[in-house]
Amino acid sequence: MKKALVCGGGGFIGGHLINRLKSEGYWVRGVDIKENEYDNNNADEFIIGDLRDPNVADEVVTDDLDEIYQLAADMGGAGFVFTGTNDASIMHNSVLCNLNVLEAAKNKGVRRIFYSSSACMYPEYNQLDADNPKCSEDSAYPAAPDSEYGWEKLFSERLFLAYQKNHGLEVRIARFHNIFGPQGTWDGGREKAPAAVCRKVANASDGDAIEIWGDGKQTRSFLIVNECVEGIRRLMNSDFSGPVNIGSEEMISLNDFAKMVIDISGKNLTINNIPGPLGVRGRNSDNHLIQEKLGWAPSIPLRKGVEKTYAWIFEQIQQKVLEPVEA
Ligand code: NAD
Ligand code: GDD
């Protein structure tokens, strides 16, 4: 039986990944500073620990592991990463997790390790045109990410590749493009646009206007989490190190995305565009490399994923309303 460690296993993608590994017959250890609040974590062993502490990394990285998945990071949507107010802690916390997990993997002789990078590492100058953003893997340099979160991801990609070059680790790196789905953060300030828009629509009544940051013409692509996990597993089982995009090529403007969610809800709502943290003007995944190297690329239509996610967030809101108020 293969043994895997999922760092950040209490989080959104980590929780889904643990379940996927379990369904494939793995023995799985998860580690995170928090439990998975949606109780979707089926790890054989789950350790609450802070990976900024090298002793915790040393404890959870054992020499019997076949694979490590490093997803632990200080992470959020535009309201968290593009305001500038969290830059120092994002860089400090995520870099420490990466350094400690890598060093422990090297010391314990665990060879294969996955790292979750982000499309935020791509240069801003290629993402100024909402209709024609460029995010092919070979367009990463000259580097010019628009956020410190993106610079940290770029540095850490290089850190992982340096450990591969100098210490023989078998590194696999993916650049995720806005992953969404059930069990994803949907309130509290770290939520990304798909969950935020679903929440706003679910909370609204006929005749209301929902608020969308910016002019709504900025573009993104959004990938349902199941396909992200499929891509992670395929990359991990391949001979290709990456970095490679794991994202959807179905680009959409934010206002059109909001109209899609409104349509799914069946409500009669309008859109109010307001100022807010924006990030790049346009972004879309480029899936040529993943198709070439893995013979696979995400293909589930955006609307299907949004239907599932809207239903899940609607249910979360209903449950919150029904929660008994503590005396
Ligand atoms: P998430 O916030 O749900 O998961 C990250 C987990 O890391 C959290 O549960 C958090 O508690 C944990 N963590 C943070 N600091 C830690 C520490 N010091 N010690 C132990 N655990 C710690 O986010 P996610 O969406 O599941 O993202 C997973 C990874 O994928 C992250 O590295 C993120 O940067 C990357 N990523 C995600 C997206 C996306 O759209 N979701 C896009 C690009 C990259
Ligand atoms: N979060 C959020 N909430 N974004 C909104 C909202 C809202 O209510 N309304 C409009 N937006 C707009 C943002 O202004 C931004 O232009 C766009 O929707 C996308 O926002 P996010 O989904 O929050 O982030 P992102 O796509 O710019 O970046 C995310 O994805 C990266 C990977 O592709 C972030 O989560 C990054 O951390 C991640 O690496």
Side-chain angles (χ1 to χ4, degrees), residues 7-15 31-35 37 49-53 70-76 93-94 97 115-120 149 153 174-180 183 185 190 192:
C7 304
F12 167 47
I13 302 172
V31 58
D32 203 297
I33 39 175
K34 64 166 184 68
E35 301 274 0
E37 60 256 57
D50 188 337
L51 289 166
R52 290 172 297 186
D53 178 350
Q70 180 9 30
L71 290 95
D74 222 346
M75 147 76 186
N93 296 342
S94 300
C97 292
Y115 174 57
S116 50
S117 182
S118 166
C120 286
Y149 170 82
K153 289 291 187 190
R175 294 172 178 162
F176 296 158
H177 288 245
N178 210 320
I179 314 301
F180 75 102
Q183 282 103 41
T185 307
R190 289 191 188 228
K192 290 173 279 108

Side-chain angles (χ1 to χ4, degrees), residues 14 44 54 58 138 142 144 164 189 227 252 256 291 310:
D44 296 278
D58 194 55
D138 61 3
Q164 173 159 269
E227 289 217 282
I252 188 166
D256 283 348
Q291 186 65 58
Y310 178 78

